Amino acid sequence: MKPVITDTIKYIGVDDRDIDLFESQYIVPNGISYNSYVIIDEKIAVMDSVDKRKAKEWLNNLKAELNGKAPDYLVIQHLEPDHSGSVKMFCDEYPNAVIVCSAKAKAMMPQFFDVQNNVEAKAEGDTLELGSHTLTFVMAPMVHWPEVMVTYESSERVLFSADAFGKFGALDADEGWSCEARRYYFNIVGKYGAPVKALLGKAAGLDIACICPLHGPILTDTIPDVLKLYTTWSAYEPEDQGVFIAYASIHGNTAQAAEMIKEMLEKKGCPRVAIADLSRDDIAECVEDGFRHSTLLCMASSYDGGVFAPMSDYIHHLQSKAFQNRKVAFVENGSWAPSAARAMKAEFEQMKNITFVGDVVTIKTTLNDDTVAQLDALAEAIKEG
């Protein structure tokens, strides 16, 4: 069942349950939604298109709502192909419709498609009158592309939010909002905390009853909670006081140590302890958990004079998403020349506001009484913070 927005603002988006990797990198076991909307008034405005994978279905949804009419405008808030992939087909179908977008989007548009329709570039605060509906355009550069804008409809207090406030998962997925929204945010938008914070400041001046994002469910009653989470995320502050243990183990000995210190932390009363095997678990979920928790414990085997590749890859992901304001601790394993801790620490030293906690624990292949005691001391240091 498609979501109900208002009597005059209709949902015409589509679910994609056939996709295996979103952006060719993110596992989406419950698919993804490509959201699009149409405002029916004296003038008709379509809010964004969808990925070309679902173009025909989208156009059929649009035609059903138009009931023989033709749209006057297509508002493009974000040019990324999962939202603009059907623009060319739309323009071929409706050559008299005017494309409305930001000036940056107008300049970038020829990179994506060639259309003959008129294109109107909008600036901050510009409006578009449809009849009883008035659209006001709000620029949101680098959330998460430079051409992005969002649109506020004042009569029904609806914010069309582009990629902001979106999540992975089809609309019919039986799951909560926050987990997949968090994974979506930190992996896709996470690097751009300052621009997100700027958009939140603009949104604070609007009377918003409904948020219509380009992915995920329409938001109404949960808007205060969503804005609170976005405020925390955009400030790079931990959402939970707790520890995320990320380990990369070759033959299982480092994994054994990770499970042991997890148990130690739990017995010492740490409020939340999560653990992941970087060689096997979804890297995007591990990035999400790294940002979610106040402390990150990295445990890895030494390899080729550095650190085992899954850990190196993980740290690179964190760094590329501007990981900061966290406590970090290390456990390394090395049979003859331990090098993992040195390699890991060098990467975190390049990040902002990283506090190193406790002494590095060095395991020589397998645990012994001495290294078990060191793990316990490290767990105590992490607990004390």
Side-chain angles (χ1 to χ4, degrees):
M1 181 182 297
K2 65 181 181 179
V4 176
I5 304 169
T6 72
D7 290 340
T8 53
I9 301 177
K10 306 294 186 178
Y11 181 84
I12 55 171
V14 291
D15 277 342
D16 188 349
R17 283 284 193 170
D18 302 321
I19 190 170
D20 58 341
L21 293 174
F22 181 70
E23 291 189 352
S24 295
Q25 58 180 321
Y26 301 115
I27 298 169
V28 281
N30 288 323
I32 192 79
S33 68
Y34 309 120
N35 295 345
S36 174
Y37 313 87
V38 61
I39 304 172
I40 308 295
D41 206 327
E42 295 172 22
K43 298 287 187 179
I44 297 172
V46 178
M47 308 301 294
D48 294 288
S49 77
V50 302
D51 193 286
K52 65 181 180 181
R53 293 167 54 89
K54 297 293 181 176
K56 291 182 180 179
E57 184 178 344
W58 171 68
L59 280 175
N60 287 337
N61 291 345
L62 173 59
K63 289 175 181 178
E65 293 296 345
L66 291 176
N67 194 25
K69 298 179 181 179
D72 298 280
Y73 302 101
L74 171 63
V75 178
I76 297 178
Q77 299 184 110
H78 183 24
L79 271 175
E80 199 166 4
D82 56 319
H83 306 300
S84 68
S86 301
V87 169
K88 181 66 166 63
M89 188 177 292
F90 172 92
C91 291
D92 290 343
E93 186 77 20
Y94 303 107
N96 294 322
V98 176
I99 295 177
V100 177
C101 60
S102 68
K104 185 68 173 179
K106 183 177 180 179
M108 293 173 61
M109 202 172 291
Q111 301 171 209
F112 294 86
F113 40 76
D114 178 26
V115 297
Q116 302 305 310
N117 298 55
N118 289 335
V119 180
E120 291 184 4
K122 298 296 183 179
E124 181 78 26
D126 284 353
T127 60
L128 180 63
E129 300 291 341
L130 302 178
S132 62
H133 296 81
T134 300
L135 302 182
T136 300
F137 302 103
V138 179
M139 299 302 112
M142 299 317 301
V143 186
H144 56 117
W145 275 26
E147 90 304 353
V148 173
M149 68 180 187
V150 301
T151 306
Y152 179 66
E153 199 293 301
S154 54
S155 70
E156 304 199 72
R157 299 181 295 147
V158 176
L159 179 68
F160 298 93
S161 64
D163 266 351
F165 313 116
K167 66 178 283 291
F168 295 125
L171 289 191
D172 62 0
D174 184 15
E175 60 188 13
W177 182 86
S178 61
C179 185
E180 285 293 67
R182 186 187 301 108
R183 185 166 74 102
Y184 176 92
Y185 176 88
F186 282 115
N187 286 278
I188 293 179
V189 189
K191 180 178 180 179
Y192 305 107
V196 171
K197 189 174 182 180
L199 177 58
L200 289 171
K202 294 178 180 181
L206 302 174
D207 180 14
I208 302 171
C210 177
I211 295 177
C212 292
L214 288 180
H215 297 293
I218 285 75
L219 305 171
T220 53
D221 295 343
T222 61
I223 288 174
D225 294 331
V226 168
L227 293 177
K228 183 178 179 181
L229 280 174
Y230 257 66
T231 299
T232 298
W233 296 345
S234 65
Y236 299 100
E237 295 298 332
E239 184 182 337
D240 291 311
Q241 294 299 311
V243 184
F244 177 51
I245 303 169
Y247 71 86
S249 182
I250 300 174
H251 298 295
N253 295 307
T254 305
Q256 180 186 11
E259 293 291 348
M260 180 176 290
I261 198 169
K262 177 179 183 289
E263 185 176 341
M264 291 172 175
L265 287 163
E266 290 171 339
K267 286 182 177 179
K268 292 177 185 295
C270 283
R272 178 183 171 89
V273 184
I275 190 170
D277 178 355
L278 296 178
S279 297
R280 294 170 175 82
D281 292 333
D282 175 21
I283 192 70
E285 288 192 6
C286 295
V287 169
E288 170 199 345
D289 275 323
F291 276 96
R292 179 174 184 170
H293 296 83
S294 56
T295 301
L296 172 64
L297 173 54
C298 293
M299 305 179 64
S301 303
S302 302
Y303 201 86
D304 287 343
V307 63
F308 189 36
M311 178 61 75
S312 178
D313 183 47
Y314 177 58
I315 296 173
H316 171 73
H317 275 76
L318 292 178
Q319 189 174 42
S320 69
K321 301 304 178 183
F323 187 76
Q324 58 189 273
N325 300 334
R326 298 298 190 277
K327 299 170 184 176
V328 179
F330 303 109
V331 174
E332 65 178 354
N333 196 335
S335 297
W336 67 91
S339 56
R342 180 181 69 251
M344 291 187 288
K345 187 176 182 182
E347 295 299 323
F348 282 102
E349 286 174 339
Q350 300 177 45
M351 305 181 204
K352 293 181 181 178
N353 296 332
I354 300 298
T355 302
F356 298 116
V357 179
D359 295 326
V360 172
V361 177
T362 299
I363 302 168
K364 294 288 188 72
T365 307
T366 58
L367 288 166
N368 56 35
D369 291 345
D370 183 50
T371 47
V372 169
Q374 290 178 47
L375 287 177
D376 188 72
L378 179 58
E380 188 66 29
I382 290 172
K383 177 198 168 188
E384 296 300 323

